[in-house]
Amino acid sequence: MRTGSVSAEKKALRRAVRERAGKLTEDCRRASDAAIRRRVLDSEAWQSAEAVFVYVSMWAEPDTRALLADALAAGKALYVPLCRPGGVLEAVRIRSLAELRPGMLSIPEPPEDGERAGEGTIELALVPCVSAARDGRRLGHGAGYYDRFLAPCRCRTFCLCYEALLCDAIPTDEHDVTMDAVVTETGIWESKTAD
């Protein structure tokens, strides 16, 4: 069955990329984080968005803490992920980074009783990955939270990825959401399917 084959390919690729990620030095990560942040901040999509969704980074992902602070400082409505049972991800608004508390997998999350994003509220979503390809295909962590969350959204999507963790090709299923752009420290790679 093709789906099983894709699932196995993804699992093997995640393992290989995580091994690569473990070899990145702290200096390399810091320099790449700063360059990725600059590219996001300089993008028209970020500058024009009044409401943004930004993931809270964990190990091996480009650090988003500065971008979270940037969004608040710019007066943008900032929404961050809240993982719910059953693989559901919700976008919850925060007005201060102090509102974040360890949640599922110890990743900082917003308060459960926070304001949810209404339909069409979010204009730009910054999305994490294990790896990505320059054509906008994304390899997530495997739980499907972001694909389910993004499928009905009409916002722009930027996947943040270290250049060293990019792959030429990412195996995909029909439910996998293609990003509008992949942002690395060296550039912003627009998907051919982006408007």
Side-chain angles (χ1 to χ4, degrees):
M1 183 176 178
R2 178 68 183 144
T3 300
S5 172
V6 169
S7 179
E9 289 174 45
K10 286 181 177 182
K11 189 173 182 179
L13 187 56
R14 279 188 197 99
R15 191 170 27 238
V17 172
R18 285 176 177 143
E19 189 174 313
R20 245 192 286 168
K23 296 176 182 174
L24 295 176
T25 66
E26 281 304 312
D27 286 346
C28 173
R29 286 178 192 274
R30 272 194 295 273
S32 296
D33 290 340
I36 289 169
R37 175 188 177 206
R38 186 80 262 148
R39 291 194 183 281
V40 170
L41 294 180
D42 288 345
S43 71
E44 189 279 330
W46 176 272
Q47 292 178 11
S48 65
E50 293 181 12
V52 295
F53 173 86
V54 182
Y55 71 94
V56 181
S57 54
M58 59 183 194
W59 181 86
E61 296 172 343
D63 191 353
T64 59
R65 280 157 183 81
L67 285 165
L68 292 162
D70 292 330
L72 292 170
K76 297 181 186 295
L78 173 61
Y79 294 86
V80 296
L82 175 66
C83 293
R84 309 291 293 159
V88 174
L89 187 150
E90 296 178 343
V92 177
R93 187 171 183 179
I94 61 169
R95 290 171 172 80
S96 165
L97 297 183
E99 293 177 49
L100 298 173
R101 294 285 183 268
M104 288 183 77
L105 305 173
S106 298
I107 301 168
E109 291 186 335
E112 289 193 26
D113 61 353
E115 173 192 338
R116 272 43 174 187
E119 186 177 343
T121 300
I122 297 168
E123 297 163 80
L124 174 66
L126 303 187
V127 183
C129 69
V130 172
S131 180
R134 287 184 177 89
D135 63 4
R137 287 177 292 163
R138 166 186 167 273
L139 179 68
H141 291 279
Y145 282 98
Y146 283 90
D147 289 312
R148 283 187 290 274
F149 172 73
L150 293 170
C153 290
R154 297 288 173 259
C155 65
R156 295 266 301 154
T157 54
F158 280 10
C159 180
L160 309 187
C161 188
Y162 294 127
E163 187 80 20
L165 304 185
L166 287 179
C167 290
D168 291 333
I170 300 289
T172 56
D173 282 313
E174 64 273 359
H175 66 269
D176 292 323
V177 175
T178 299
M179 302 290 100
D180 291 311
V182 173
V183 183
T184 75
E185 62 269 31
T186 65
I188 296 181
W189 314 97
E190 296 280 342
S191 165
K192 290 180 173 60
T193 61
D195 293 334

